[in-house]
Amino acid sequence: MELELQEAHQQARAAALEDELTGLHNRRAFYEFGGQLLRHAKRHASPLAMVMMDLDYFKQVNDTYGHDAGDEVLRQIARLLQNRVRESDIVARLGGEEFALLLPDTTIGEAIELTERMLEMLNELVIHHKGRSIHASASFGITRLIVGDQTLEDLMHRADRALYQSKDQGRGRVSTCSD
């Protein structure tokens, strides 16, 4: 009985940290595991990069094809992201159509290279749903750990600024912010 209770507790904890739709980490897991990576990077003076990603015009996908098609787009994009990162990286769906990646031992240059490859793959991705072909687009913002960063929010603030720079410059692009 105690073993079953312990297993049920572990399953509940895992469910609390997973985005039900995509199977990625959720916002809660991102902060929990990301905080650990941040402390490790600061303690060992190792590079850490963050990527924020937001799907462009996602409301139009839902309005045009329906919410079930939007869900399929989110699942396939989550799969694309998950398949392109290392086991040590954290990939999360923060909510809606917003995703975040935390890349330990990764320089800003390496993060840019990875993100540009992801953008290319996303641009080539065709999601087939109920006989229709759906193309997705995304904007990305990248930053790195700098002296003075204390929390994940410090990195997220800069990555968000870069993300909105991508959106302001026409969407479907990668921008960086390191200060």
Side-chain angles (χ1 to χ4, degrees):
M1 181 83 141
E2 187 176 319
L3 199 56
E4 288 176 9
L5 186 58
Q6 200 173 31
E7 185 177 322
H9 178 70
Q10 288 173 343
Q11 289 175 347
R13 174 158 169 66
L17 298 174
E18 183 179 289
D19 176 62
E20 187 177 333
L21 178 66
T22 64
L24 295 177
H25 290 303
N26 61 19
R27 177 180 289 275
R28 180 180 191 181
F30 184 75
Y31 279 100
E32 184 174 321
F33 301 136
Q36 294 169 8
L37 285 181
L38 176 67
R39 287 187 295 278
H40 181 270
K42 287 172 61 85
R43 183 173 38 246
H44 297 284
S46 58
L48 178 68
M50 180 181 283
V51 179
M52 297 294 287
M53 172 188 157
D54 190 70
L55 297 180
D56 299 325
Y57 309 112
F58 187 70
K59 183 180 179 328
Q60 288 179 352
V61 170
N62 282 331
D63 291 349
T64 303
Y65 303 105
H67 288 277
D68 56 331
D71 288 350
E72 184 59 24
V73 168
L74 291 170
R75 280 191 290 271
Q76 288 202 30
I77 288 179
R79 198 170 311 127
L80 182 145
L81 294 173
Q82 191 67 54
N83 290 335
R84 298 297 166 236
V85 298
R86 304 165 298 189
E87 195 173 309
S88 61
D89 299 334
I90 296 175
V91 181
R93 178 177 174 219
L94 298 183
E97 64 274 9
E98 186 177 31
F99 298 84
L101 294 88
L102 202 55
L103 311 169
D105 299 315
T106 304
T107 65
I108 191 84
E110 293 165 333
I112 291 168
E113 188 177 309
L114 171 68
T115 306
E116 287 177 345
R117 278 197 316 265
M118 284 183 183
L119 178 58
E120 285 177 31
M121 296 171 87
L122 181 61
N123 287 337
E124 293 170 4
L125 180 67
V126 179
I127 296 129
H128 300 285
H129 183 74
K130 294 184 179 179
R132 300 182 111 170
S133 298
I134 303 169
H135 296 272
S137 170
S139 298
F140 295 85
I142 306 172
T143 195
R144 64 183 174 85
L145 179 64
I146 59 174
V147 175
D149 284 341
Q150 297 299 314
T151 65
L152 278 182
E153 287 85 0
D154 295 331
L155 281 88
M156 289 180 83
H157 177 72
R158 287 193 309 278
D160 262 343
R161 275 198 339 231
L163 171 66
Y164 282 97
Q165 181 180 344
S166 290
K167 289 196 175 281
D168 290 344
Q169 292 177 350
R171 301 178 191 256
R173 63 186 64 232
V174 175
S175 298
T176 61
C177 179
S178 356
D179 58 347

